[in-house]
Amino acid sequence: MSFTLPNVLLLIKNSETQAEINQLLSDKPFHLFFQTDPEKALSAISAFRPEIVVIDSAYLLDLNPTLLHRIQVFHPAPYLKITNTEKLPTNHGNFAKEVSARSLRASLAKTLTQLTQAHPLPTPEHAHPQRRDIVVGNLRIDRFTKQTWLSGAKLDLTAQEYDLLIYLVINANSVAKPEELLKRVKSLGTENSNNSVDLYIARLRKLLRDDGPAPEKIKTVEGGYLLARDAW
C-alpha cells in the first residue's frame, strides 16, 4: 500500500520567486500547485485541501489580514512564509516557519516528516472524503487515486489531461493563458507549443462532454481558457 505525493499549495505572487521555486523543486517529491491571485486564496485552499501552504510576502501584502485569519482557522495546516524584501506587520498571519526560497525544499521535507509522524498521511482506502475529493458540481476528482468522475461516470484521463484539469479547477473562474499552462502544468512539457495546449483542451472538452460549438465548462476567452465553476 503506497502513499501519494503530499499536496503543497504555493501562494506566490512574486514572479522571480515563482521561477526560483520551479527550478529548485523541478524533481520535487511533492504535488505542487501555484495560486497567484490573493482573492482566490480561500477558494483554492477550500478546493485543494493541501497538507502545507506556502506564502510569499508579496502575496501577503495584497491579502487582507482578516481573510488570512479566516483561511488559517478554516484550514489549520502548517503555513510557511517565504521571506523577501517586503516588510509586513508583525501580526500578519500565524506561520510555522519563515524560510528563504532556496531553503524551501528542505523546510518542506522537514515539515512533512513532522506531519506524518504526528498524523500519517492517509492512503486512498482510509482518506477522509472531505480532504480526499475535489468536487465542482457533477465533477468529482479523487486526488489520492487521481480518478475522476463526471455525473458518476468514470473518466479515463491521461496524466496530462488530469494535471490540466486539476489546474483549471483550482483556478476556476480565472483566465489561464496557454503559456501559463505550459509553465505550471509540468506534465505538458515546456517543449510543447501553445497549439499543443489547444489540443489538450480539445481532448479534455470531449471527455467532459463540452465539445460543442460554444463550450460552457472550459470556455475560450480573451487571453486563454477559463473553467466556469457554475457550469457543472
Side-chain angles (χ1 to χ4, degrees), residues 24-82:
L24 292 170
L25 301 181
S26 58
D27 58 341
K28 58 190 182 301
F30 323 109
H31 197 52
L32 298 182
F33 283 96
F34 285 86
Q35 171 57 256
T36 60
D37 184 355
E39 294 184 3
K40 304 290 185 181
L42 183 58
S43 59
I45 288 174
S46 177
F48 196 52
R49 299 284 178 157
E51 274 74 36
I52 299 177
V53 181
V54 180
I55 311 179
D56 78 338
S57 46
Y59 193 103
L60 280 169
L61 283 172
D62 288 341
L63 187 61
N64 185 290
T66 302
L67 177 57
L68 176 59
H69 176 73
R70 284 178 55 204
I71 289 171
Q72 293 188 319
V73 170
F74 170 76
H75 187 66
Y79 288 74
L80 306 184
K81 181 169 71 175
I82 296 179

Side-chain angles (χ1 to χ4, degrees), residues 172-188:
N173 295 335
S174 297
V175 178
K177 298 179 180 179
E179 55 268 27
E180 173 190 347
L181 292 171
L182 284 173
K183 183 177 180 182
R184 301 294 180 213
V185 184
K186 297 297 186 183
S187 59
L188 296 184

Side-chain angles (χ1 to χ4, degrees), residues 122-133 143-144:
T123 59
E125 292 82 356
H126 300 94
H128 190 286
Q130 186 181 26
R131 288 185 56 83
R132 174 174 175 170
D133 290 351
R143 65 186 181 87
F144 285 89

Side-chain angles (χ1 to χ4, degrees), residues 12-181:
I12 309 292
K13 188 172 182 181
N14 185 290
S15 58
E16 293 181 359
T17 304
Q18 289 180 32
E20 185 176 6
I21 290 174
N22 268 326
Q23 183 177 7
L24 292 170
L25 301 181
S26 58
D27 58 341
K28 58 190 182 301
F30 323 109
H31 197 52
L32 298 182
F33 283 96
F34 285 86
Q35 171 57 256
T36 60
D37 184 355
E39 294 184 3
K40 304 290 185 181
L42 183 58
S43 59
I45 288 174
S46 177
F48 196 52
R49 299 284 178 157
E51 274 74 36
I52 299 177
V53 181
V54 180
I55 311 179
D56 78 338
S57 46
Y59 193 103
L60 280 169
L61 283 172
D62 288 341
L63 187 61
N64 185 290
T66 302
L67 177 57
L68 176 59
H69 176 73
R70 284 178 55 204
I71 289 171
Q72 293 188 319
V73 170
F74 170 76
H75 187 66
Y79 288 74
L80 306 184
K81 181 169 71 175
I82 296 179
T83 55
N84 28 33
T85 57
E86 294 85 350
K87 301 297 182 183
L88 295 169
T90 55
N91 62 345
H92 203 103
N94 180 26
F95 296 93
K97 187 179 298 183
E98 293 190 15
V99 300
S100 66
R102 189 159 296 278
S103 65
L104 179 59
R105 183 188 181 92
S107 296
L108 285 173
K110 183 176 181 180
T111 303
L112 285 168
T113 298
Q114 293 170 344
L115 278 176
T116 53
Q117 288 174 345
H119 305 285
L121 292 176
T123 59
E125 292 82 356
H126 300 94
H128 190 286
Q130 186 181 26
R131 288 185 56 83
R132 174 174 175 170
D133 290 351
I134 298 174
V135 179
V136 178
N138 60 355
L139 178 71
R140 181 166 70 89
I141 302 171
D142 185 323
R143 65 186 181 87
F144 285 89
T145 64
K146 296 190 176 182
Q147 294 179 328
T148 305
W149 295 264
L150 182 67
S151 298
K154 186 178 178 181
L155 302 179
D156 186 16
L157 302 180
T158 65
Q160 292 88 351
E161 291 161 353
Y162 172 84
D163 290 345
L164 179 59
L165 178 60
I166 281 283
Y167 185 88
L168 292 172
V169 166
I170 295 301
N171 294 278
N173 295 335
S174 297
V175 178
K177 298 179 180 179
E179 55 268 27
E180 173 190 347
L181 292 171

